[in-house]
Amino acid sequence: MFSFLQRLFPAVVLAPVLDYPFARSDVAMLQTLAGAVPQIDRQTWDDLLLDQYTDRLTQGTSIFGQQELHRRLCSSQAGDAAIERPLLLMADAPLAASLQRACHGLRQADTEVAATLYGAKLAPAPWWHAWLWLVPLALLLAIAAVWVVGWPALFGVLAVCVALMTIQSHYYEVSKQWESRLDSLRHLLKAHAALARLDIPATAHFKDSHAQVKKIMRGIERSLLRYLPMVDTVVAEYGDWLLLKNITRYFRTRQLVAAQRDFLRDSFSQVAALEADLALARHLIEAPVFCRASVVGPREMQLQDMVHPLLPAAVPLSLTLDRRGAFVSGQNGIGKSTLLRTLGINLVCARAFGFCHAQAARVPLLPLYSSMQSEDSLAGGESLYLAELRRARELLALADSGAPALFIIDEIFRGTNHLESISAAAAVLHTLAAHHLVIVSSHNLVLAPLLEDCLAPWCVQRDATGVLWLAPGVLQATNGIALLAERGFGRSIEDKAGRVFDWLSSHMAQPTDCSGVLEEGGRHEMQNVLT
């Protein structure tokens, strides 16, 4: 019926694609209800800016493909096998174009249906729904009785109208929301049918179920009158209110969807996976560099010339790890945090999609957890240090789960004094690195020799031409004080800070009590340095 209407009234039937803006919770619904155990938690997702990455990845993709891509990012461990179909689509532009046209209508869906297909079972219709046709019939008989009996029959008309209004008030909004879900299912089935009509090997598995798709579509399709101009606002509304057609349709189609839910899930899975692979193919065509990710053991890693996919003209960096994690140092503002995010997003892409944004990649497929954005929380009454302690406790709990994992940590324990920060950081990092791969950046350079048995030292630096690169070793020349002058603090502040730094480097004054008062000689010496 729909194909006939499409040819007869193309201007009415074909709605423009608007790419409805879905909430993050809608996009995550498939993973929430049907995904495997997550390989990444919420803070890691935010730390690695994966919302921004998926926004770019899913441009021109419907809610079905968006949900599938989100599921893969969260929980898939497909490895390099996941990149096979995107590579095929990249190599065969006519094939990709045919599949894209078949899936084009999916973008008209404005309601997610994963909750309907993967959530709790649909409740059965009430026993009385089969007798709803008696209510409109009773209304007609009551109206006819007014002509025969006179005004006393108006009480019968009033009673039937109350019954109609009671049913509509209870089910009207529910039926409207259900109609939106049916509309999304209709777009899903239309795409399934379009793929089945393509005479190509890539869609052969869709042909076996073509007859069942047509049967379900006939069951959920609206009346022919619904597609005629002005019918929606005139005849349809009166038909719904007076004849209870919307409520009858609601119960009938819910029973149909409940009976066909297993098939609809399978259709959802196949169509969403294909659309997700089309999105990945488009993404890789536009990517400046990518490679297949080879899988290695949990204590190995080699990424050659990796870049961040969200940064234009990103500087490529390389990192190789063998049996040890990494302690990354570098001057302020040189890009250590960006390096960690680049590493993290490439490891997630390797696990979920089978590729990295790099020239070559040999990486482990591990759950990944990070600590990069701990902050004070005024609303939650949580200081920076308490937030860091909470996250460190979460990471230790994840590490105790037994399965190998990878931890990326940026500037651990910034919220307390220098000595306590080093002590706590050394204890936590050494415990994590005992059984897991840990990559950490820190300005506390004394951590490097403390953790050298489990973390190899690496330094982000610039070569003679100003190009960034990762070199073995620890930062030698810091720039925190030099930045004072660059940022307009003045020569006087810079000189004082330099004198204090030189003195502390020689003496490393230690507090003698909780008030932090220095020994008498040391206190006078410090005052002389400042003056």
Side-chain angles (χ1 to χ4, degrees), residues 321-373:
L321 300 178
D322 185 13
R323 296 186 297 278
R324 286 190 296 171
F327 178 89
V328 180
S329 58
Q331 293 185 336
N332 291 283
I334 202 167
K336 297 186 298 298
S337 298
T338 301
L339 167 64
L340 295 188
R341 287 194 172 92
T342 301
L343 182 62
I345 199 168
N346 275 285
L347 291 171
V348 170
C349 285
R351 173 181 52 74
F353 304 138
F355 66 80
C356 287
H357 296 276
Q359 291 290 351
R362 298 173 65 249
V363 297
L365 302 185
L366 297 175
L368 192 154
Y369 305 103
S370 70
S371 178
M372 301 183 68
Q373 296 190 54

Side-chain angles (χ1 to χ4, degrees), residues 144-258:
V146 172
W147 293 95
V148 177
V149 179
W151 67 266
L154 288 175
F155 290 104
V157 175
L158 180 60
V160 177
C161 287
V162 169
L164 283 169
M165 293 179 65
T166 300
I167 296 172
Q168 287 287 359
S169 63
H170 191 73
Y171 287 103
Y172 180 75
E173 287 298 328
V174 175
S175 66
K176 282 187 66 176
Q177 294 171 8
W178 176 252
E179 198 62 52
S180 295
R181 296 176 200 169
L182 284 182
D183 193 55
S184 293
L185 288 175
R186 188 183 300 111
H187 291 304
L188 172 66
L189 293 169
K190 282 173 56 185
H192 191 126
L195 291 166
R197 289 193 295 270
L198 295 177
D199 190 19
I200 53 178
T203 59
H205 56 288
F206 287 96
K207 295 182 182 297
D208 297 337
S209 52
H210 187 47
Q212 191 168 358
V213 167
K214 292 173 66 176
K215 178 181 177 181
I216 299 174
M217 285 187 67
R218 285 195 298 269
I220 67 174
E221 191 58 83
R222 291 182 175 186
S223 165
L224 176 64
L225 294 176
R226 287 279 187 172
Y227 296 100
L228 297 176
M230 299 301 295
V231 167
D232 265 343
T233 57
V234 183
V235 178
E237 288 295 326
Y238 281 112
D240 287 345
W241 275 94
L242 299 178
L243 303 179
L244 295 178
K245 294 178 66 175
N246 58 331
I247 311 302
T248 302
R249 172 176 164 78
Y250 167 67
F251 287 125
R252 176 178 59 79
T253 54
R254 270 175 63 93
Q255 287 181 308
L256 174 62
V257 170

Side-chain angles (χ1 to χ4, degrees), residues 14-33:
L14 292 179
V17 173
L18 299 176
D19 285 330
Y20 185 82
F22 288 91
R24 301 292 185 190
S25 57
D26 286 340
V27 176
M29 190 62 69
L30 178 63
Q31 162 60 29
T32 301
L33 296 174

